[in-house]
Amino acid sequence: MENYKCTVCSYFYKPEKGEWRRDIPKGTSFEDLPEDFRCPTCNQPKMAFVPVVKA
């Protein structure tokens, strides 16, 4: 599963960690996040995120 980065504030969504502030369980891929998911740091919509290539 890929990590995703918010293009506004640089927050990283990491599927292996989930997001406790939005009640997203560990192991939830970015594609499986609800369409109304918003960045927990800056409140931007899901479309503000881009995939990050792991080195």
Side-chain angles (χ1 to χ4, degrees):
M1 286 189 271
E2 286 185 302
N3 292 335
Y4 279 75
K5 178 181 175 183
C6 178
T7 58
V8 175
C9 72
S10 298
Y11 162 84
F12 280 90
Y13 175 73
K14 298 178 180 179
E16 68 272 7
K17 292 187 176 184
E19 179 48 62
W20 63 271
R21 293 174 281 189
R22 299 280 192 238
D23 293 324
I24 306 295
K26 294 176 183 178
T28 303
S29 70
F30 187 81
E31 293 79 11
D32 290 338
L33 292 174
E35 287 305 313
D36 63 349
F37 175 80
R38 296 182 89 66
C39 178
T41 303
C42 69
N43 208 37
Q44 291 298 308
K46 193 174 174 182
M47 66 183 200
F49 284 76
V50 294
V52 176
V53 177
K54 294 181 183 179

